Amino acid sequence: MAGPVIPAHAESTPVGHAADVDPRIGTGGDGHTYPGATVPFGMIQLSPDTAMPDFKHAYKWAAGYQYNDPTIMGFSHTHFSGSGHSDLGDVLVMPIAGDVRLEPGDATKPGSGYRSRFSHDTEVEQAGYYAVTLADYGVRAELTAGQRIGWHRYTFPEGKPAHVLLDLRPSIYDYAGKVLWAHLRVQPDGAVTGCRTTRGWAPGRELCFAMRFSQPMTSRELYNRETDNVYKGFAGPGNQPQDKDAQNGRALVASFDFGQLKQPLEVKVAISTVSEVNAVANLGQDGAGWDFDARRAAATAAWNKALAVIDVEGSKAATTSFYTALYHAMLAPTLSTDVNGEFRGPDHAVHRAHDANGDFNFYSTWSMWDVYRAEEPLMVLLRPDLSTLFIRSLIAAREASPFGILPVWAYQGLETWCMTGYHALPIIADAYIKGVRGFDAEAAMRAMVASATYAPYGDLGDYMKLGYVPIDKEVEGASKTQEYAYDDWSLAQMAKAMGKTDIAATFEQRAGNWRHVWDPKTSFMRARLSNGQFREPFDPNFAGYGSDYTEANAWQYSWYVPQDVAGLIGAFGGDAKFTAKLDQVFDAKVDPAQFKDVEDITGLIGWYAHGNEPSHHIAYLYDYAGAPWKTQQRLKQIMDSQYASRPDGLTGNDDLGQMSAWYIFTALGFYPVTPGSVEYAIGRPFVAHASIHLSNGHTFSVSADPLDDAHPYVGAVTLNGKPLDRVYLHHAEILAGGELHFSMQAEPSKTWGTGIAARPSATSRYGH
């Protein structure tokens, strides 16, 4: 088979921090990331799909791609990064040289369908660019992206007819049965437009598209595979189609034919959640002309600009891990507004992104249960301008909601109701407490109160009445009580800062509801029945649906009181008992088969499960009990075992950037244990030197010496040259600029940062 002629520039290496990104990390194992092309927080995620299995078997393909798969079935334009569940995979495109097959076929049977074998040796994965050779066709496929457009360049082998297949059936998870209706049309000017409605994770989701080719098609065939109808069109005088130009149905496939090409074919695709008209407008405003290399250069430049917010020095492996994590933390939420300012809301109606501060870009894709912990606090620190837009988007979504509450797990503007809590509250409160402005704080407060008092949601009615979520009324009653209590605390902090004392008092009181699920006899959080009794029997090792906890067991959730760690230490019986129980968590001998039925619980160190978010703050809790050297010890365990610069280098779902944001903060030496406060708990750094270039023009640097495996412990810390004897930083100290320096040593220091006054205490210091 004749191979494609690959342009010399196709394999060029980017410069800047974009060159340090390896999008392969997380594409193997359970990382659930994708390797394709996108720009920071962009609407388009143009990436190869190796499989789209049914719901029962699809967990590992949540991003459409698994590194160990042998074939590619096409390139689709929408993907989640690191989600534990999925959907999307919209507008699948496949270049074909030679005979066209209309079904994907069997990956184990070459030639049985349109999917193609490929080799990783031919792949190029860079920030904003992806390329691969489709071995069965000899086609070199290159992808890049803009904010609203995916750009393809296909180099076909000589002597073979060139085709582009468009399949509107596939969708990640159960692709064959999710399409409710679709239509596509070839416009008189050669553009291809269409929409489809799916019944997936967000039922009734509509996605429209517009597509153009750099060269005129010679013919086309539009298929409805459900009825076997096929409409064929041939280019007549003036390249005007002579007969049918549209198809409608639930199983639409189209083949666009270009004859034998002498030069690469470029394709550009825009999407819209609103309409075909808007997709065409997105394509026109953002995608004039044909210059794939210029678009690729623009995507690289966008990533270099975004990643330049932090400069890190270190080995190639260290910088690759760091900047890939930063890259993954800058993928979501995603732009969900068309160029005319319209977006689809949770009521499925069309809205305009406009508020008292004017027009703005609306963002969606919110895995709240995950990203409030570190990913959104990272954006508050690095990109407060984006935090403002994100909060304006949350308020707009609430105002468009038929239930009048903030998003829980939303994407493309629609709500899924997945996971627990009302964690949009700490996202907003954390930003406000740390000085982010530019959004309507009064509207935000109304939205927060409405979300925290909407009785039908998650049995909030019983929670407000009893002070806890009864397990006989609602599954996962213990963890839901804990999460609600923390969210209530975050609301109280913002209300207090706004001078709303009545609201603050109400929710400050509710913040103590965690005590209602604390069992002093077992020293675990446990669910209660409506009659006030703890549910029996009780097994702290058990995890699974219907248990007391969300994706966790008692060993993992009993530490979740970020708003009152001092109170939790007291409940355990003091520092010694608290740290001893923490040690039990990390040192336990646990068979991973314990969680064989809970696929999200991965990355085990004892009972600690770094692959799932309820564990993410636990290693830092030693700081609060006078044992910061143990925080340092545990962080090294986690960093050494849970992250690696290879495709299976993430031990759990990246969860829209949370796993990666944890890495960034931890590598820098501090972490936001309690979003909604101005404190960061200090751990230890994992980079020799880093400079954070803040939006106010200041630079805050972190340095460590010596930084190697022989010196894993902190001996002393200075802030701007002066000794720092506490194990927390204030947000204002970072914003002021300066240098945080760690003197590392071989043995643990059991004097630095151990005193009561040295400990983090978000409750008492939130307003510093």
Side-chain angles (χ1 to χ4, degrees):
M1 177 181 293
V5 177
I6 301 173
H9 51 252
E11 312 305 334
S12 60
T13 301
V15 296
H17 292 318
D20 295 315
V21 173
D22 185 354
R24 293 175 300 175
I25 295 175
T27 60
D30 290 325
H32 296 183
T33 63
Y34 58 82
T38 189
V39 294
F41 308 102
M43 184 184 290
I44 291 284
Q45 308 86 39
L46 177 53
S47 190
D49 294 309
T50 59
M52 292 185 178
D54 60 36
F55 182 86
K56 184 177 179 181
H57 303 96
Y59 181 73
K60 286 186 178 295
W61 287 268
Y65 179 99
Q66 264 288 330
Y67 187 81
N68 290 329
D69 283 353
T71 66
I72 288 173
M73 61 182 288
F75 309 105
S76 66
H77 291 75
T78 58
H79 296 84
F80 294 133
S81 178
S83 63
H85 186 59
S86 199
D87 199 340
L88 305 179
D90 296 294
V91 193
L92 185 85
V93 174
M94 186 63 163
I96 294 172
D99 296 337
V100 175
R101 297 174 180 84
L102 300 179
E103 298 300 325
D106 187 337
T108 66
K109 299 177 181 178
S112 62
Y114 62 69
R115 67 170 64 243
S116 172
R117 290 166 289 182
F118 75 105
S119 167
H120 291 304
D121 292 339
T122 71
E123 281 186 301
V124 178
E125 301 97 340
Q126 298 168 354
Y129 175 79
Y130 174 87
V132 68
T133 296
L134 300 172
D136 289 356
Y137 303 123
V139 173
R140 186 65 175 172
E142 300 175 83
L143 313 175
T144 192
Q147 284 286 346
R148 296 178 176 88
I149 298 178
W151 298 81
H152 312 235
R153 178 165 62 189
Y154 300 137
T155 304
F156 291 87
E158 294 182 3
K160 291 279 188 178
H163 314 274
V164 172
L165 187 81
L166 169 65
D167 197 339
L168 294 184
R169 296 169 298 172
S171 182
I172 299 172
Y173 277 18
D174 190 27
Y175 88 86
K178 286 173 67 172
V179 179
L180 293 171
W181 196 252
H183 68 270
L184 67 88
R185 177 180 299 275
V186 179
Q187 303 291 342
D189 64 357
V192 179
T193 64
C195 296
R196 72 171 186 173
T197 303
T198 55
R199 60 177 181 180
W201 197 9
R205 181 177 67 94
E206 184 171 5
L207 194 286
C208 301
F209 70 93
M211 174 187 300
R212 289 190 184 277
F213 304 100
S214 63
Q215 300 183 51
M217 63 183 79
T218 58
S219 64
R220 64 180 183 271
E221 295 179 345
L222 311 182
Y223 299 87
N224 183 341
R225 296 292 284 169
E226 190 173 46
T227 62
D228 287 327
N229 285 341
V230 56
Y231 294 153
K232 298 182 179 181
F234 300 90
N239 291 324
Q240 294 298 310
Q242 292 184 328
D243 57 24
K244 296 292 186 178
D245 58 6
Q247 273 280 22
N248 297 275
R250 293 181 295 189
L252 304 188
V253 186
S255 175
F256 306 109
D257 310 317
F258 299 90
Q260 295 186 20
L261 296 174
K262 301 296 185 181
Q263 60 189 20
L265 175 70
E266 294 187 28
V267 186
K268 54 187 176 183
V269 179
I271 62 172
S272 167
T273 62
V274 174
S275 66
E276 283 179 77
V277 171
N278 279 17
V280 171
N282 290 346
L283 191 65
Q285 182 163 326
D286 284 359
W290 296 100
D291 192 338
F292 183 91
D293 293 319
R295 300 297 176 175
R296 177 185 175 186
T300 301
W303 278 114
N304 276 328
K305 182 179 179 181
L307 299 171
V309 70
I310 306 180
D311 286 318
V312 165
E313 298 173 9
S315 66
K316 177 61 177 174
T319 55
T320 295
S321 292
F322 189 91
Y323 284 106
T324 304
L326 189 56
Y327 164 86
H328 282 143
M330 291 182 165
L331 296 179
T334 55
L335 179 67
S336 298
T337 333
D338 294 331
V339 292
N340 65 356
E342 291 181 338
F343 68 92
R344 182 80 59 180
D347 56 356
H348 289 262
V350 177
H351 302 270
R352 181 174 176 80
H354 180 87
D355 59 19
N357 290 297
D359 295 338
F360 65 97
N361 278 331
F362 175 85
Y363 289 82
S364 190
T365 315
W366 288 107
S367 181
M368 297 294 182
W369 189 80
D370 302 295
V371 300
Y372 82 88
R373 304 168 195 263
E375 202 275 339
E376 286 307 304
L378 184 64
M379 293 304 104
V380 169
L381 179 63
L382 302 181
R383 292 295 306 272
D385 58 323
L386 284 177
S387 289
T388 296
L389 289 177
F390 296 163
I391 294 171
R392 292 170 74 183
S393 299
L394 291 174
I395 296 169
R398 182 260 169 168
E399 292 175 348
S401 167
F403 307 100
I405 65 174
L406 290 160
V408 176
W409 210 126
Y411 68 100
Q412 293 186 352
L414 305 181
E415 182 58 72
T416 71
W417 303 108
C418 186
M419 303 310 295
T420 61
Y422 29 97
H423 298 312
L425 275 62
I427 289 174
I428 298 170
D430 186 62
Y432 188 85
I433 291 297
K434 291 173 179 171
V436 174
R437 297 295 185 268
F439 61 90
D440 187 336
E442 293 291 340
M445 180 56 58
R446 290 193 297 271
M448 294 164 76
V449 171
S451 297
T453 55
Y454 183 65
Y457 172 71
D459 202 27
L460 265 175
D462 279 320
Y463 171 79
M464 290 186 286
K465 177 182 176 182
L466 301 174
Y468 62 91
V469 177
I471 194 67
D472 49 330
K473 297 288 188 66
E474 182 84 3
V475 296
E476 304 164 1
S479 61
K480 287 180 179 177
T481 298
Q482 294 170 260
E483 292 186 44
Y484 296 173
Y486 163 68
D487 291 341
D488 291 339
W489 176 86
S490 70
L491 195 166
Q493 306 319 300
M494 183 165 164
K496 196 180 302 182
M498 293 175 66
K500 297 184 180 296
T501 55
D502 290 347
I503 294 175
T506 296
F507 288 93
E508 194 80 60
Q509 182 177 16
R510 280 173 51 165
N513 282 341
W514 65 270
R515 294 183 180 276
H516 294 150
V517 294
W518 171 254
D519 177 15
K521 291 182 179 179
T522 62
S523 291
F524 286 110
M525 299 289 179
R526 296 179 56 186
R528 290 184 185 270
L529 300 166
S530 297
N531 64 10
Q533 300 298 311
F534 287 113
R535 177 164 73 164
E536 300 289 353
F538 173 65
D539 177 4
N541 300 348
F542 175 71
Y545 184 77
S547 76
D548 292 2
Y549 319 95
T550 304
E551 292 183 6
N553 66 12
W555 287 98
Q556 292 148 4
Y557 243 110
S558 292
W559 309 99
Y560 186 80
V561 190
Q563 73 274 24
D564 189 10
V565 181
L568 183 63
I569 293 171
F572 269 100
D575 293 347
K577 291 183 178 180
F578 185 80
T579 56
K581 193 70 171 271
L582 278 173
D583 285 341
Q584 288 182 51
V585 171
F586 286 97
D587 295 336
K589 304 300 181 184
V590 178
D591 183 351
Q594 171 81 28
F595 301 114
K596 61 182 176 63
D597 296 323
V598 191
E599 54 198 0
D600 292 287
I601 299 179
T602 58
L604 293 175
I605 303 174
W607 289 114
Y608 177 88
H610 191 70
N612 209 26
E613 280 63 26
S615 290
H616 275 191
H617 68 298
I618 292 176
Y620 286 93
L621 296 183
Y622 290 104
D623 274 1
Y624 295 73
W629 72 90
K630 291 197 172 189
T631 283
Q632 298 152 29
Q633 173 195 0
R634 300 307 184 185
L635 291 178
K636 183 156 176 45
Q637 279 185 276
I638 297 166
M639 290 291 264
D640 287 351
S641 64
Q642 306 297 302
Y643 296 91
S645 297
R646 58 178 189 261
D648 63 348
L650 294 176
T651 58
N653 314 147
D654 196 52
D655 281 314
L656 282 71
Q658 169 58 26
M659 285 277 287
S660 291
W662 189 97
Y663 182 96
I664 294 296
F665 271 121
T666 298
L668 294 173
F670 52 92
Y671 185 80
V673 169
T674 312
S677 79
V678 295
E679 287 185 350
Y680 301 90
I682 292 176
R684 52 144 296 184
F686 289 85
V687 291
H689 191 274
S691 296
I692 305 171
H693 305 297
L694 300 159
S695 62
N696 62 8
H698 296 161
T699 294
F700 185 79
S701 298
V702 176
S703 58
D705 183 55
L707 187 71
D708 54 36
D709 288 343
H711 300 84
Y713 295 101
V714 176
V717 179
T718 60
L719 180 62
N720 301 326
K722 298 179 181 179
L724 186 71
D725 295 324
R726 47 182 161 87
V727 289
Y728 62 91
L729 280 176
H730 293 298
H731 187 70
E733 291 171 332
I734 299 175
L735 294 187
E739 182 179 18
L740 182 70
H741 179 73
F742 292 81
S743 296
M744 307 299 292
Q745 61 188 37
E747 298 299 325
S749 169
K750 297 187 179 180
T751 57
W752 177 75
T754 59
I756 297 293
R759 305 176 187 185
S761 180
T763 300
S764 63
R765 296 192 181 97
Y766 88 91
H768 176 85

